[in-house]
Amino acid sequence: MEFQQRAAGVDVSIEASVGERLWLSGVVESPVEPTAGDSYVVVDESDEGVLEIVVASWPKLDPLGRLAFSGRRRTVAVSEAELSEVLDRRRQRSGETKRPVRIGDAFLVRGRVTNSPSKWPQIVDVTSFARAHAKIAFHAAVAPRTTVREAKALKLDSPPPAPEVPVPEAANVALPAV
Amino acid sequence: MAAPEPIPANLFEDLPAGESLTDHIAPTDLVYFLCNVGDGDAQLLLLPEQKATDTGVPLRRAIVVDSASPRKIPALIGELLKVGLLAASPGGAQQPLDGAIALVVATHPHDDHIGGMGALLSKYKRAVAEVWEPGYYHTAPAYHEMMAAIEDQPGLLYAQPTSGLRRWIGDVAVTVLTPSIQLRNRFDTYGVDINNSSISLRVEFPAARVVQRDNERRLVDAPNTQTLILGADTQTLSWAYAETDFPALAPSGSAAAAALKVATGSDFLRSQVLKVSHHASKHGINLELVERIKPALSLVSSVAGGGSYKFPHTVAQELIREAVDPTTRSGRDHPQDWDLGVFYTSDTTSTGGKLGSFAIVLGAGRRTVWRMLDTPSATISLDRAKKWLGT
């Protein structure tokens, strides 16, 4: 008997290929409905006020629901101050919390023809969605994916059980991140 | 930024007519390729020959550390297969034997390190036995491609190593120096710079320590081992953990120590070859670290022609020089970088030739430096190389 390093899980025989559905298309929670001409922009590096951003075509989903990027990908340098100002202005208008630009931040950019963020007609922060999908990409790669039925049997989606011994209220506080 | 000075052309020797680099590699040698990909990393260690357990045929395997572009490492693997330096699959000369790429390390998920990783894993499939990456979730396209390629190979062994892990592959011992588990546990809080998630490695060769003669075996000191430190993009914070995880142990000459044959102490970070971390950025290394490593060869992968970040940074260049050749007290000037064993993938010769990628051939107590004369976008040919004649 032979086991794989990681169980094959479901549907692993499906060859990766780019489907037709754009990532985040039709997602109710998404702040934007993507179109085929949009760019996917990720902050990859940061140093001395210069950001290296990776610019790719907006991803589609493959048959397994993975982000699939096609076409040419470019890494370009942009001013951190300029991008921050654009984002701050946008966040102020929409009542969102201001925050500094971080590596891993991801944006949908529409109508981008230059590398100057202040000249981008539309930029939408999709970081939380992108982070969630990066985690999905990781966990799907290293451990088996389950069927809905298996997930139910394993109680993967259920709320955690109540603690057997009640936790004193003072200790029931999440510690700040280091 | 200080671009490297051109190196006198007479310090190099062309391959003799009709010869290939292959003719200068012995079966017991380890060859370290640091490829010229500009401000990025793509490295391949060609391991010494080892007899296959099933056939007894001596074959070589490889370790790949980062693949910045989709072409450079696959083209090098193609060259190695073509000349028989890497075990080929019986089914096709352009595909390595299953498991012939013993380990692939994606040091951290920056595009200039894993830009070609998805393509590499997809191309070689079962030829890759094991893959390591640090476990830092990244939103970049290259990360998604790499993880999808791993997902598509459920037989591929996957691990997230942290400092102290040791893996023996044939006659080579690989030790993970960074990241510390203390850093990895903080990755997802976004409290750790992505560069400090880098897996940096210490590679020691040969790893053999026991000599067997009939039914007798004895332990040897192996004083002629060669070690390389592949620094990825590890920065100061992560190196600080490495310096405490791997302390310099003082030797003991006492009679009691000798009688008990206790370990007499050494500096585990001491190494002959250093792939300077983060393209010699000012955040990549520090003086104490390089003093401890004391490398005979310090290799920098950078364009040295500007780029976004102006690598290599003068601060880093100066501290490497000072670490390997202290001059603070004497006040004298450092000799040229090449005399200190400091080289760049962007090196040129005094006659304008590009020197490009490195092939460091490591044998018993000896080290030969070859330059492969390629540009970042060109592929490596084993038939074109220049041998460094310096010390």
Side-chain angles (χ1 to χ4, degrees):
Chain A
M1 184 176 290
E2 191 176 280
F3 288 96
Q4 302 280 31
Q5 296 291 349
R6 298 176 304 287
V10 291
D11 299 329
V12 81
S13 60
I14 296 175
E15 280 294 318
S17 60
V18 180
E20 288 308 309
R21 191 156 62 96
L22 291 170
W23 177 54
L24 292 184
S25 176
V27 174
V28 177
E29 300 85 0
S30 171
V32 63
E33 180 63 28
T35 61
D38 294 336
S39 298
Y40 179 82
V41 173
V42 171
V43 178
D44 201 40
E45 287 217 51
S46 166
D47 190 53
E48 287 190 9
V50 177
L51 302 174
E52 289 247 331
I53 58 169
V54 178
V55 182
S57 300
W58 190 257
K60 292 179 176 173
L61 296 175
D62 77 3
L64 290 176
R66 302 182 294 198
L67 269 58
F69 295 86
S70 57
R72 192 160 165 255
R73 209 159 59 213
R74 293 192 312 133
T75 301
V76 295
V78 300
S79 155
E80 182 173 358
E82 187 183 342
L83 180 60
S84 296
E85 198 185 321
V86 169
L87 291 169
D88 284 350
R89 252 201 329 264
R90 193 196 165 280
R91 285 176 178 140
Q92 197 164 20
R93 274 202 308 269
S94 57
E96 293 170 48
T97 310
K98 282 188 190 177
R99 64 177 180 85
V101 177
R102 303 292 297 264
I103 289 171
D105 283 0
F107 306 98
L108 176 148
V109 177
R110 183 164 292 165
R112 190 190 69 86
V113 287
T114 76
N115 292 333
S116 173
S118 59
K119 293 179 181 149
W120 294 345
Q122 190 178 358
I123 177 168
V124 182
D125 187 345
V126 294
T127 303
S128 63
F129 297 91
R131 289 263 299 156
H133 264 266
K135 286 187 182 182
I136 291 170
F138 164 74
H139 286 287
V142 302
R145 288 165 286 129
T146 67
T147 62
V148 175
R149 180 179 291 184
E150 288 166 343
K152 208 168 189 178
L154 293 166
K155 297 190 174 173
L156 292 180
D157 268 340
S158 307
E164 288 174 18
V165 180
V167 179
E169 201 167 309
N172 194 14
V173 177
L175 292 170
V178 179
Chain B
M1 188 272 290
E5 289 286 317
I7 305 175
N10 63 358
L11 293 178
F12 292 93
E13 182 180 79
D14 286 325
L15 271 171
E19 287 193 9
S20 153
L21 179 60
T22 318
D23 301 315
H24 298 261
I25 300 171
T28 51
D29 288 343
L30 177 146
V31 188
Y32 167 56
F33 290 93
L34 173 60
C35 298
N36 181 16
V37 287
D39 282 342
D41 276 4
Q43 303 162 88
L44 185 145
L45 292 144
L46 183 66
L47 307 185
E49 284 186 1
Q50 182 186 8
K51 282 183 183 169
T53 45
D54 50 352
T55 61
V57 175
L59 299 169
R60 287 181 188 269
R61 291 184 289 169
I63 297 172
V64 172
V65 181
D66 285 336
S67 184
S69 70
R71 283 187 68 212
K72 202 81 174 194
I73 291 286
L76 175 58
I77 289 173
E79 277 282 292
L80 297 172
L81 289 168
K82 193 173 78 183
V83 298
L85 277 177
L86 186 63
S89 163
Q94 279 306 300
Q95 190 69 8
L97 193 66
D98 285 1
I101 303 173
L103 174 64
V104 170
V105 182
T107 62
H108 66 295
H110 263 151
D111 213 53
D112 63 338
H113 290 252
I114 63 159
M117 195 55 85
L120 181 105
L121 294 170
S122 299
K123 182 177 174 68
Y124 294 119
K125 294 187 167 66
R126 293 173 66 93
V128 180
E130 184 171 352
V131 65
W132 293 352
E133 62 96 27
Y136 193 107
Y137 309 122
H138 196 29
T139 52
Y143 179 80
H144 283 277
E145 289 167 357
M146 175 174 75
M147 296 319 292
I150 293 170
E151 182 182 343
D152 287 340
Q153 295 300 316
L156 180 61
L157 189 64
Y158 167 90
Q160 287 177 3
T162 54
S163 66
L165 178 89
R166 283 191 191 172
R167 177 87 166 75
W168 282 262
I169 301 172
D171 204 6
V172 173
V174 179
T175 305
V176 175
L177 299 179
T178 68
S180 157
I181 184 64
Q182 296 195 50
L183 283 181
R184 206 193 64 197
N185 286 341
R186 286 157 50 189
F187 285 176
D188 205 34
T189 67
Y190 260 33
V192 176
D193 186 291
I194 192 168
N195 286 326
N196 277 329
S197 75
S198 287
I199 299 170
S200 58
L201 303 169
R202 178 186 188 268
V203 178
E204 186 175 358
F205 157 76
R209 294 291 183 275
V210 173
V211 176
Q212 182 90 40
R213 187 175 174 187
D214 300 326
N215 64 350
E216 287 181 13
R217 50 177 61 185
R218 63 187 171 87
L219 191 65
V220 291
D221 279 344
N224 290 315
T225 55
Q226 304 263 0
T227 55
L228 306 94
I229 287 181
L230 312 182
D233 274 5
T234 306
Q235 295 191 165
T236 313
L237 173 69
S238 188
W239 282 128
Y241 285 103
E243 287 192 62
T244 51
D245 283 344
F246 301 95
L249 301 171
S252 169
S254 72
L260 290 167
K261 286 196 182 301
V262 295
T264 52
S266 62
D267 192 338
F268 193 73
L269 296 183
R270 181 61 63 91
S271 183
Q272 285 85 15
V273 181
L274 169 66
K275 199 294 289 179
V276 176
S277 51
H278 203 209
H279 323 292
S281 94
K282 63 186 177 184
H283 299 117
I285 45 174
N286 63 73
L287 183 66
E288 187 178 284
L289 174 76
V290 185
E291 282 176 341
R292 283 190 57 188
I293 297 171
K294 207 79 176 176
L297 284 176
S298 304
L299 310 179
V300 178
S301 52
S302 80
V303 295
S308 296
Y309 295 122
K310 315 292 184 198
F311 299 140
H313 291 167
T314 310
V315 176
Q317 290 172 292
E318 279 300 321
L319 77 82
I320 294 169
R321 292 169 189 141
E322 185 61 21
V324 298
D325 175 47
T327 60
T328 307
R329 292 174 70 173
S330 69
R332 66 180 167 77
D333 291 335
H334 292 295
Q336 292 287 354
D337 277 351
W338 56 83
D339 288 327
L340 296 174
V342 181
F343 296 97
Y344 308 81
T345 51
S346 52
D347 277 330
T348 56
T349 65
S350 52
T351 53
K354 292 187 190 311
L355 288 167
S357 300
F358 296 87
I360 314 293
V361 180
L362 300 159
R366 67 179 167 78
R367 204 172 35 245
T368 316
V369 178
W370 294 85
R371 303 301 296 264
M372 306 310 294
L373 317 178
D374 56 320
T375 61
S377 58
T379 56
I380 290 173
S381 164
L382 299 176
D383 297 331
R384 288 183 70 232
K386 281 182 187 288
K387 184 181 177 184
W388 167 246
L389 299 176
T391 51

